[in-house]
Amino acid sequence: MTAKTPLEPIASRYTGKDIVSLTQFDRPSVELLFDTITQLKKRVETERMLSLLKKHIVGLFFFEPSSRTFSSFSVAVKRLGGNTLEMQEAGKASSSVKGETLEDMGRVMENYLDAIIMRHPEVGSVEKVARAVSIPVLNAGDGSGEHPTQGLMDMFTMLEHRKSLDGIRVLISGDLLYGRTVHSLLFGLSLFSGVRVTLLSPERLRLPAMLIDTYRSRGITITEIHSESDIPADCDVWYWTRVQKERFDDLAEYERIKNAFILTPELVKQKGSDTLILMHPLPRVGEIEPAVDDDPRAVYFTRQVKNGMYTRMALLTMVLGAL
Ligand code: NCD
């Protein structure tokens, strides 16, 4: 059981690697992943169930609530013929209640499992476990840090829509301070050229200046706006996000800003192009009016969710060397 160095670059060799951050990826690695997602998607559409992971058991340890990500990982393993060990509410159900460290939990679990999928409220917690164990660890969200599998499925959804991520123009709205899906997505998009991103958020929830500098230095053209009237007319994607209530100490402050920017049919009509798609990592809690759901450009309950399962299937088979 020799612990590996986590945050190792993927460099197109997935077997045995952790998926902790989009900073581990380069463009060829992402493109290889996209090819695998496309292949698996085609296979699942005809065969429904595959057997690539029939010799594997994957553990899901979620210390924060989740419906979509948990289910999508669980179903991804099962569609690949694998088994799961599932712990939701792991903060209450695991020995962490007795004071066991996450690293020790990982050290025990790696004797039973082939890979660990983990979500936890603390930034850096998943990396800690990855450092302690030798089996692949996948980050299903670490606090307001990153959510790499969500970032990758979002990029794949954009690619399917537009055929190329080079030159893509994306509006990202909502909680850019705490929104981990946004942090991962921007690292991912920065691997492509000519990417232009407009950020729309309340002042309090702006993307941290350090991250803006990092993304800019990685080549993204970033413009910050604070009013819907400044949304550029030619976006390919609007990526809307929820204000992350669970990260606020002061709930009155959350209540004041939670509905700063609401996606309405009128806004889409005024500012949206015909070739736009509307995305959201979900759950939505009021920031997209239900009337928008019927717009054929809305993909947040359809393609985007489905691609999550295929993306996780691809990543699991790749890190487990099972393709
Ligand atoms: C996101 C998350 O948990 O970060 N949800 C998800 O994984 N689909 C976004 C969110 O909770 O707002």
Side-chain angles (χ1 to χ4, degrees), residues 62 64-70 119 140-144 146-147 149-150 153 175 178-182 239-247 280-285 287 304 312:
F62 278 55
E64 257 191 358
S66 169
S67 36
R68 237 157 318 272
T69 305
F70 187 87
R119 167 174 288 194
D142 64 324
S144 54
E146 280 210 52
H147 193 347
T149 63
Q150 179 78 42
M153 67 186 250
D175 188 344
Y178 299 122
R180 56 194 173 197
T181 70
V182 172
Y239 188 94
W240 229 258
T241 66
R242 162 182 83 93
V243 175
Q244 310 271 304
K245 180 180 183 181
E246 64 275 33
R247 314 277 176 233
H280 191 304
L282 303 178
R284 69 157 164 207
V285 286
E287 65 282 354
Q304 193 181 354
R312 290 168 179 134

Side-chain angles (χ1 to χ4, degrees), residues 85-158:
L85 168 72
E86 306 193 348
M87 236 187 250
Q88 288 239 48
E89 297 199 70
K92 287 188 203 143
S94 76
S95 287
S96 68
V97 178
K98 303 179 191 167
E100 185 180 45
T101 64
L102 292 174
E103 289 93 325
D104 282 359
M105 183 200 78
R107 289 184 187 108
V108 172
M109 292 303 160
E110 74 173 326
N111 292 281
Y112 308 144
L113 302 169
D114 299 290
I116 289 175
I117 297 159
M118 185 178 145
R119 167 174 288 194
H120 194 278
E122 238 171 74
V123 177
S125 50
V126 180
E127 187 181 340
K128 269 194 211 161
V129 175
R131 274 185 199 284
V133 305
S134 55
I135 57 174
V137 175
L138 284 78
N139 181 2
D142 64 324
S144 54
E146 280 210 52
H147 193 347
T149 63
Q150 179 78 42
L152 290 163
M153 67 186 250
D154 293 339
M155 287 163 70
F156 183 77
T157 304
M158 293 179 194

